[in-house]
Amino acid sequence: MRLIDRLPRLGRRRFLRGGAGALPAAALLAGGVAVSATRVWGEDAKALKPGSAVTLVRVARDIYPHDRIPDIFYARAVLMLDAAAVSDNTLRDLLEEGVMRLDADARDRFQSPYLEVAGESDRVALLEAISAGAFFKKVHGALTVSFYNQHELWPRFGYEGSSAEYGGYLHRGFDDIDWLPKS
Amino acid sequence: MAKFDHDDDSLAVIIGSGAGGGTLGNELAQKGIKTVILEAGPRFEIADFVNDEWPSFAQLAWTDMRTTSGTWQIAHDFPNLPAWIVKAVGGTSIHWAGASLRFRDWEFKTRTVYGHVPGANLLDWPISLAELEPYYAKAEFKMGTTGTNGIPRLPGNNNFKVMAAGAARLGYKEVHTGNMSINSQPRDGRGSCQQIGFCFQGCKSGAKWSTLYTEIPKGEATGNLEVREKSMVLRIEHNDAGKVNAVVYIDADGNMRRQKARVVCVACNSLESPRLLLNSASSKFPDGLANSSGQVGRNYMRHTTASVYAAFDRPVHMYRGTTMAGIIRDEGRNDPTRGFVGGYEMETISLGLPFLAAFLKPGGWGRSFTSGVDDFSNMAGMWIIGEDMPQETNRVTLDPVAKDKFGLPVASVHFDDHPNDIAMREHGFRQGEAVYEAVGATRTFRVPPYPSTHNLGTNRMSEKPRDGVVNKFGQSHDIPNLFISDGSQFTTGAGVNPTLTIVTLAIRQADSIAGMMGKNEI
Ligand SMILES: Cc1cc2nc3c(=O)[nH]c(=O)nc-3n(C[C@H](O)[C@H](O)[C@H](O)COP(=O)(O)OP(=O)(O)OC[C@H]3O[C@@H](n4cnc5c(N)ncnc54)[C@H](O)[C@@H]3O)c2cc1C
Ligand code: SF4
């Protein structure tokens, strides 16, 4: 079978620059170093407070945890939501108030803001408690599209995307499965 | 290309350019009848299509407001998107996957064969398979359906091979790559399938039949057909004698227009067609046009659907190649010992990563969800599509509150699953899982219905005027020069994909209209 390279074919630098449209400048400066970078995503937010954006990146990963996907993809999805909030005050308030409420819940139950609640299952419990509310629904709904719709993410899931320009799969493995048991 | 006058009252006016309307337009034009098609959506060409699920959806889908109610899961998962249909020249024949199956003999007489099913509003069609057979043959020839007219079937892709291997182990017998209106070899000026795999997003090779680049240009070439894009019809008007004589629409420049007509044919798909008749209510027809029976908008059917996806320890890449070229037909029979009447088909289906994430478990999140998405490249998938029961209370009405941008009430869709639908879906889930488990699936996913791709029954055909909206020619019982030309005329839905039958009925209707016009009956 023709398998696909799950890590981006492009070098790391081109990979980062390739997505420059959606990519926060600060991330480029930080060289995409994931750990310290989580702090900087926040500063690229245009509508949200930096701290709220950083918390939302954590929320995004807790909603759609894929351990092989680096933070930058979650950050891009959150920054798209942030961009929509620039001209939409209702959305901005929904997000800011949602983060505030989440932090308050986290302090009540775990004595620290959401971002610093160490256990994933504890954070998930906090999300579950608000999952019927407008804030969670909005963030979840937006992520469903904006997170999974990032083309650079697709190879990591083994998805090849647009195929017409390569002549389809007629000569590229539409029927190349080789492991099925003989009947 | 023809250009007709707004005051020309000799025209046949067709509303909607999809499978039904686009076919009818060409057929009438070929017979020398001057025809205008008014289409709400814009006109794209093959080069405009994109192999990218969300951008394609934004380009093609009908996203104008609709509302929902009822116990069906769609009302919960997609409250403002009850149906997945196209708003563009070519209609949903751009999105469709190409599966083209004839009804079986008994599927035209389900009231007789199934007997009384509590809660179901079953009725026999006023036509038989025998009467339709010559027209089915014409439709298959026109559409280049594989497995008919000596046209070879498509080659099976990986997704099909997984399903077929499982089916063989279960002892299923009728398993192949389907009857697909997709060229397996060059035909009718179009090339053969390149296994691109984005059949739902508009076929970029033109191998798949769509009225956009088959019927419509052929009709236009006669000089008898004019297609007006971005022309949303608001209402149909009638004269004092109760015959329709004009339609009012908003043209591409946003101006309100009135097009006179000798005959009006409604082909807006099963949500908009009844909406248009209801929005056309007048003092003479206070309940809407063609609605003396009260059946306009009722008996809405959407097929009993569901999907089964399965993950394996090794790759499948289900998205490579034709989306729906694969079928198991053995469950299509009517065998009430299974706990339900009617039958269903299992057909291969695949989604790209973006749509899989949206549909695998609508509203899902957390690790149980994402571990499923992580299996994407190792997944196979099938769609279950079976006959659902018509129910009078499953219906399209005018929303009492929500209005479109022209101020007209939008379609509100109420649907409750019938117990027969639920039993059939459960059976389909079990059989689908068994197919994949037979070849080593490590995990299976029961995926609930997508927004309705098959929308049927809301202006149904009946022998007697009191039971339905149109007669056996799709001609309304109440208004002789008003026709219904889409899937809303289906009396019952059968256990197969509907479009071949929609096209078949349109070809037949063109003969009837030409005959009636020739005899000055309309
Ligand atoms: C993803 C997908 C896959 C499918 N696969 C298959 C398959 O494999 N096999 C099969 O048999 N079927 C399939 N179908 C279903 C098939 O597409 C439909 O059955 C068929 O297109 C219906 O034809 P129609 O003429 O009734 O309506 P449509 O093709 O939907 O056309 C209706 C047209 O009317 C226009 N319109 C609506 N209201 C107005 C108005 N007021 N004024 C002007 N224009 C208006 C719409 O914009 C639209 O273009 C599929 C559908 C989808 C979405
Ligand atoms: S797989 Fe075939 S039919 Fe489907 S889009 Fe590609 S070329 Fe067209």
Side-chain angles (χ1 to χ4, degrees):
Chain A
M1 286 188 82
R2 184 174 65 78
L3 302 180
I4 70 163
D5 181 5
R6 281 174 171 257
L7 284 176
R9 280 149 297 193
L10 308 173
R12 186 177 189 86
R13 276 176 55 215
R14 258 195 70 207
F15 164 58
L16 283 171
R17 223 182 291 137
L23 188 78
L28 282 174
L29 293 177
V33 183
V35 202
S36 61
T38 26
R39 301 244 156 259
V40 249
W41 310 132
E43 275 144 41
D44 286 287
K46 301 265 185 316
L48 296 170
K49 293 181 195 144
S52 309
V54 173
T55 299
L56 281 173
V57 174
R58 184 73 250 180
V59 169
R61 184 181 280 285
D62 290 335
I63 289 178
Y64 288 137
H66 292 286
D67 301 334
R68 287 191 252 172
I69 305 301
D71 272 350
I72 184 169
F73 291 100
Y74 294 95
R76 281 186 191 164
V78 167
L79 287 173
M80 263 183 252
L81 198 54
D82 170 74
V86 168
S87 56
D88 183 345
N89 289 338
T90 321
L91 174 60
R92 194 198 56 207
D93 294 348
L94 179 75
L95 297 174
E96 288 291 4
E97 282 159 24
V99 171
M100 246 159 61
R101 157 94 194 273
L102 198 55
D103 278 338
D105 292 353
R107 285 201 182 85
D108 278 354
R109 284 178 67 175
F110 305 108
Q111 293 75 49
S112 58
Y114 185 86
L115 200 58
E116 282 155 37
V117 175
E120 179 178 320
S121 55
D122 290 339
R123 294 193 306 274
V124 165
L126 290 166
L127 291 177
E128 251 155 22
I130 59 160
S131 64
F135 165 71
F136 183 90
K137 284 195 168 154
K138 179 74 213 177
V139 174
H140 175 272
L143 281 177
T144 309
V145 179
S146 61
F147 177 71
Y148 290 108
N149 206 28
Q150 301 177 68
H151 293 201
E152 296 87 344
L153 192 73
W154 294 349
R156 292 169 184 257
F157 288 92
Y159 181 48
E160 295 167 83
S162 180
S163 88
E165 64 272 41
Y166 306 110
Y169 291 104
L170 186 57
H171 307 294
R172 295 191 311 132
F174 79 101
D175 63 348
D176 65 355
I177 196 161
D178 55 9
W179 53 261
L180 283 168
K182 307 257 177 311
S183 50
Chain B
M1 247 180 260
K3 184 128 185 47
F4 298 114
D5 198 89
H6 280 96
D7 289 322
D8 188 341
D9 59 6
S10 71
L11 303 176
V13 173
I14 300 173
I15 309 167
S17 63
T23 303
L24 180 65
N26 181 30
E27 291 289 317
L28 291 178
Q30 298 295 337
K31 295 176 195 298
I33 296 171
K34 289 192 252 155
T35 304
V36 170
I37 297 182
L38 299 171
E39 166 54 55
R43 187 161 183 161
F44 297 105
E45 296 304 335
I46 287 177
D48 301 324
F49 297 153
V50 283
N51 277 186
D52 197 344
E53 290 172 320
W54 285 118
S56 172
F57 184 83
Q59 177 183 48
L60 298 171
W62 181 289
T63 50
D64 299 0
M65 174 62 112
R66 284 171 176 148
T67 58
T68 50
S69 61
T71 54
W72 59 330
Q73 200 170 335
I74 297 291
H76 174 266
D77 292 344
F78 307 99
N80 296 121
L81 193 73
W84 177 4
I85 40 191
V86 170
K87 182 180 182 180
V89 174
T92 317
S93 75
I94 298 178
H95 260 355
W96 84 311
S100 305
L101 303 169
R102 293 186 183 193
F103 281 28
R104 301 157 184 98
D105 180 39
W106 45 269
E107 287 174 321
F108 288 98
K109 36 188 188 202
T110 54
R111 178 65 182 84
T112 303
V113 175
Y114 302 164
H116 174 66
V117 177
N121 194 21
L122 287 169
L123 185 71
D124 290 352
W125 286 62
I127 28 176
S128 65
L129 176 62
E131 279 171 86
L132 270 195
E133 264 166 354
Y135 292 98
Y136 267 132
K138 285 185 186 179
E140 287 160 346
F141 182 79
K142 175 194 279 295
M143 300 163 87
T145 308
T146 61
T148 78
N149 293 288
I151 303 169
R153 293 194 204 275
L154 289 159
N157 67 357
N158 290 344
N159 199 24
F160 169 72
K161 288 181 172 181
V162 175
M163 187 173 89
R169 292 201 156 192
L170 288 195
Y172 280 137
K173 296 279 178 282
E174 206 183 332
V175 182
H176 51 70
T177 60
N179 298 95
M180 305 296 293
S181 295
I182 294 179
N183 279 350
S184 57
Q185 54 194 25
R187 187 177 183 278
D188 199 25
R190 294 178 288 117
S192 62
C193 175
Q194 302 299 302
Q195 303 289 340
I196 295 171
F198 285 86
C199 306
F200 289 168
Q201 281 68 37
C203 175
K204 284 197 76 77
S205 82
K208 181 185 81 179
W209 179 87
S210 166
T211 55
L212 174 62
Y213 41 80
T214 59
E215 305 305 306
I216 288 171
K218 284 183 188 178
E220 287 172 331
T222 65
N224 297 320
L225 174 64
E226 179 187 355
V227 178
R228 296 185 197 147
E229 63 170 340
K230 299 180 194 159
S231 297
M232 173 79 186
V233 176
L234 308 181
R235 67 175 181 276
I236 303 167
E237 296 187 337
H238 61 80
N239 61 17
D240 292 342
K243 290 178 95 183
V244 292
N245 61 0
V247 306
V248 173
Y249 70 101
I250 304 290
D251 73 8
D253 300 318
N255 301 314
M256 194 176 287
R257 296 285 194 167
R258 189 167 180 277
Q259 173 64 56
K260 287 192 179 168
R262 177 172 173 188
V263 176
V264 174
C265 306
V266 181
C268 304
N269 207 323
S270 294
L271 303 188
E272 293 304 312
S273 287
R275 175 186 177 219
L276 182 57
L277 296 181
L278 295 173
N279 270 333
S280 301
S282 64
S283 53
K284 193 173 179 72
F285 300 111
D287 298 325
L289 296 187
N291 198 19
S292 66
S293 63
Q295 295 290 312
V296 169
R298 291 187 185 273
N299 311 303
Y300 170 60
M301 295 171 287
R302 47 142 2 255
H303 277 138
T304 295
T305 65
S307 309
V308 177
Y309 290 85
F312 295 86
D313 61 340
R314 275 172 275 186
V316 178
H317 297 290
M318 63 175 170
Y319 56 84
R320 289 184 188 165
T322 325
T323 307
M324 204 167 263
I327 192 165
I328 303 172
R329 302 215 59 186
D330 298 55
E331 301 289 357
R333 67 195 193 280
N334 176 41
D335 171 8
T337 65
R338 291 177 298 181
F340 53 89
V341 297
Y344 65 89
E345 309 287 339
M346 300 185 216
E347 302 174 350
T348 56
I349 195 167
S350 64
L351 299 173
L353 184 78
F355 273 13
L356 187 91
F359 292 132
L360 184 64
K361 184 173 190 289
W365 60 282
R367 288 200 181 262
S368 69
F369 175 79
T370 52
S371 62
V373 180
D374 283 333
D375 288 334
F376 175 77
S377 62
N378 292 21
M379 265 185 197
M382 72 164 74
W383 196 47
I384 292 153
I385 170 245
E387 178 161 20
D388 60 342
M389 291 295 106
Q391 301 179 71
E392 267 205 316
T393 48
N394 284 349
R395 63 188 292 208
V396 175
T397 53
L398 299 178
D399 192 284
V401 183
K403 302 231 178 346
D404 69 10
K405 64 176 172 190
F406 307 116
L408 292 176
V410 305
S412 179
V413 188
H414 179 92
F415 192 91
D416 300 309
D417 284 314
H418 187 277
N420 197 76
D421 307 344
I422 294 170
M424 180 188 285
R425 182 177 294 122
E426 177 62 27
H427 193 272
F429 273 140
R430 275 205 312 275
Q431 293 308 113
E433 287 171 340
V435 165
Y436 291 130
E437 279 159 5
V439 279
T442 52
R443 182 177 177 187
T444 54
F445 303 84
R446 293 183 166 203
V447 172
Y450 314 121
S452 313
T453 56
H454 300 171
N455 298 276
L456 306 166
T458 49
N459 295 302
R460 73 176 182 180
M461 253 188 209
S462 63
E463 182 77 56
K464 301 194 184 94
R466 64 155 198 264
D467 294 330
V469 179
V470 297
N471 66 16
K472 64 197 286 188
F473 305 111
Q475 179 182 32
S476 78
H477 288 304
D478 299 349
I479 303 174
N481 64 338
L482 176 64
F483 291 78
I484 302 292
S485 317
D486 60 18
S488 66
Q489 44 176 340
F490 281 28
T491 311
T492 51
V496 297
N497 315 58
T499 307
L500 178 69
T501 303
I502 293 175
V503 172
T504 298
L505 291 173
I507 299 171
R508 181 168 177 270
Q509 187 177 70
D511 279 0
S512 324
I513 290 175
M516 292 182 210
M517 284 174 93
K519 285 187 252 159
N520 261 319
E521 290 169 4
I522 49 174

